[in-house]
Amino acid sequence: TLHDIDIRGKRVLIREDFNVPLHQGKITDTARIDRALPTIDYALTNGAAVMLCSHLGRPTEGQPHDDYSLAVVARCLSEKLKRPVRLAEQWLNGIDIAPGEIVLCENVRFHPGESGNDTDLAKQMADLCDVFVMDAFATAHRAQASTTGVAMHAQQACAGPLLKEELHALM
């Protein structure tokens, strides 16, 4: 699990579930974001450079659309964490980030091959990080590039606290 790994100074990519309900471009329920905050805070407190990724809605894969942008989530995270959360629109070729910083990667479903678990896409995601953390229980059953694909190609992969909590609830 995340708590078993030394993440100090490492680039940590966390797959979260920020598929929040929206109405007229505003988040109507922040529960999924709120539940992710302890994981994000843990990674920051332990000296990681934190990159977050998620999907939002069901855009046509490979066709970015403002209605499905995670910009609204980045703003909400900034407010809740009381620190800047930068939205990276073009993130697959690398993210400039230092320990103690947070970047939210734009909607993973904007990339062709996400839902088909494209190997090249998964490898690009894995190349961004030293540690991949799967913390999105609601998407864990999907064999997609940002869930199982990146985990297969990352240097190190682990379960996040939310995923661990859900698995224990099932036992």
Side-chain angles (χ1 to χ4, degrees), residues 28-161:
T28 60
D29 183 350
T30 63
R32 290 180 178 179
I33 294 169
D34 296 337
R35 288 189 40 108
L37 295 176
T39 301
I40 297 165
D41 187 55
Y42 176 86
L44 291 168
T45 301
N46 284 278
V50 179
M51 298 169 287
L52 306 170
C53 68
S54 180
H55 74 283
L56 178 62
R58 294 186 177 173
T60 301
E61 191 172 280
Q63 296 180 21
H65 194 284
D66 288 345
D67 289 348
Y68 302 107
S69 174
L70 286 168
V72 66
V73 174
R75 286 190 298 275
C76 181
L77 282 167
S78 290
E79 290 171 15
K80 289 181 175 287
L81 293 167
K82 296 179 177 34
R83 60 185 341 162
V85 176
R86 184 170 34 108
L87 179 68
E89 293 180 12
Q90 304 297 323
W91 53 276
L92 284 177
N93 292 321
I95 296 173
D96 184 26
I97 187 171
E101 294 180 340
I102 311 168
V103 169
L104 176 59
C105 303
E106 184 57 279
N107 196 330
V108 295
R109 291 192 177 163
F110 286 178
H111 300 284
E114 163 62 9
S115 62
N117 196 12
D118 180 77
T119 300
D120 291 335
L121 180 59
K123 285 180 181 179
Q124 278 185 286
M125 292 178 186
D127 286 346
L128 296 172
C129 64
D130 301 306
V131 178
F132 172 69
V133 181
M134 181 56 181
D135 208 33
F137 180 76
T139 63
H141 68 284
R142 294 187 179 117
Q144 297 180 337
S146 69
T147 58
T148 58
V150 65
M152 291 172 51
H153 299 288
Q155 294 175 40
Q156 212 171 9
C158 65

Side-chain angles (χ1 to χ4, degrees), residues 149-168:
V150 65
M152 291 172 51
H153 299 288
Q155 294 175 40
Q156 212 171 9
C158 65
L162 290 176
L163 183 63
K164 181 181 173 184
E165 180 183 313
E166 292 289 349
L167 291 174
H168 281 280

